[in-house]
Amino acid sequence: MTFEKDYDVDFLSKVIEYNHDRYLSYKNNLPFEENKEFEKVLKARYQKVSRIKRRLIYLLSRNNYIWFCTFTFDNNYINKCTRTKRDLIKSVINTHDFKYMLNIDYGKTTEREHYHCVLGTDWDFDVNQFIQSHYPCFCLAIPVKVGENDFKRLSKYINKLTNHCIKATTKRQRILYNFKGYDNFCPNYKDVKLAYMLDYIKLFDNENVGLLDKAHITGKNEVKL
């Protein structure tokens, strides 16, 4: 069984319960019997979250301006195929020097499909106005101050997106990037880790800043943007 498989709800519920019990056992120094299948899923998820975290740090630290964008679709587009809707968004954000992380999401009550995008640029201009003038449906772009509170909010939202990626209802749609991050100039994993840590310290210089939590798989502690 692989991480990208369409896990059913019952299986995911068991993984969540197992992860919670494992955490309590380790915290209270109690014996715990590991489940190899569950451990494989949790390890794969942790590796994926780590990759997302590195991309997010790279985006925040190596662009002068960060924007958080939400793209929705009107009735003329909502029933079109996923590729058409993604290409519609990409036709707007694949301009200028934009670097982005783009992922699908669904409304809590309506389950209406929309997309969120963390976008970085070195241009000092009104990204919200630019996108709204080029995107045929509704979009809202909000500037993000690169600081501890904003980073924690973005981190937890990205964690939520990662949770979506292991649910069958998302059809395994992955987060889209248009940049390689540290892999673009670091020859090995050791150099990637060093570059990431240097950027992290440069951004916050605060050991108490919360990053993505490898033990967090439920999505219950999400922070809304």
Side-chain angles (χ1 to χ4, degrees), residues 21-33:
D21 292 342
R22 182 183 66 168
Y23 169 75
L24 292 178
S25 297
Y26 290 161
K27 181 179 179 181
N28 297 304
N29 198 26
L30 298 174
F32 182 77
E33 183 177 353

Side-chain angles (χ1 to χ4, degrees), residues 26-224:
Y26 290 161
K27 181 179 179 181
N28 297 304
N29 198 26
L30 298 174
F32 182 77
E33 183 177 353
E34 291 190 350
N35 180 304
K36 291 184 178 180
E37 186 176 25
F38 293 167
E39 288 292 332
K40 185 177 180 180
V41 173
L42 291 170
K43 181 179 179 180
R45 183 190 181 281
Y46 173 59
Q47 291 174 343
K48 184 170 186 177
V49 170
S50 296
R51 291 194 296 270
I52 294 171
K53 182 185 2 178
R54 289 196 296 270
R55 294 286 184 99
L56 180 59
I57 285 290
Y58 180 93
L59 189 65
L60 291 175
S61 63
R62 293 174 182 267
N63 292 272
N64 291 329
Y65 305 96
I66 305 295
W67 294 74
F68 184 83
C69 313
T70 300
F71 294 89
T72 63
F73 306 99
D74 59 24
N75 291 334
N76 293 325
Y77 284 94
I78 191 64
N79 293 320
K80 293 185 180 295
C81 69
T82 297
R83 181 173 181 177
T84 296
K85 286 181 281 193
R86 284 192 315 195
D87 287 347
L88 178 66
I89 297 171
K90 289 164 65 177
S91 67
V92 178
I93 59 178
N94 277 335
T95 59
H96 299 295
D97 66 335
F98 294 151
K99 301 294 186 295
Y100 60 80
M101 300 169 65
L102 177 70
N103 201 84
I104 195 169
D105 199 1
Y106 300 92
K108 280 189 175 181
T109 56
T110 63
E111 289 295 316
R112 192 176 179 90
E113 181 181 343
H114 57 280
Y115 281 77
H116 292 302
C117 176
V118 182
L119 182 150
T121 176
D122 288 332
W123 289 33
D124 183 10
F125 73 110
D126 192 334
V127 172
N128 183 55
Q129 184 180 46
F130 170 79
I131 293 178
Q132 288 193 17
S133 65
H134 289 77
Y135 184 68
C137 306
F138 178 76
C139 174
L140 177 64
I142 303 172
V144 176
K145 296 178 181 178
V146 181
E148 177 180 345
N149 291 334
D150 292 281
F151 177 75
K152 285 196 281 190
R153 294 172 72 191
L154 283 173
S155 296
K156 290 189 177 183
Y157 187 80
I158 294 297
N159 199 42
K160 171 188 172 182
L161 298 185
T162 308
N163 290 334
H164 272 293
C165 290
I166 65 172
K167 294 178 182 177
T169 54
T170 63
K171 301 179 181 179
R172 295 183 298 162
Q173 295 187 47
R174 300 178 179 180
I175 295 177
L176 300 179
Y177 311 90
N178 72 333
F179 62 98
K180 292 184 177 180
Y182 299 109
D183 293 332
N184 194 42
F185 60 88
C186 293
N188 54 57
Y189 178 74
K190 182 179 179 180
D191 289 334
V192 168
K193 189 174 181 179
L194 177 60
Y196 157 73
M197 289 304 301
L198 289 174
D199 279 348
Y200 172 71
I201 293 171
K202 179 178 67 176
L203 279 173
F204 306 107
D205 193 23
N206 186 339
E207 63 180 6
N208 295 318
V209 175
L211 291 176
L212 300 180
D213 185 357
K214 67 179 180 180
H216 179 216
I217 194 173
T218 66
K220 293 180 179 180
N221 296 324
E222 299 154 9
V223 174
K224 297 180 180 178

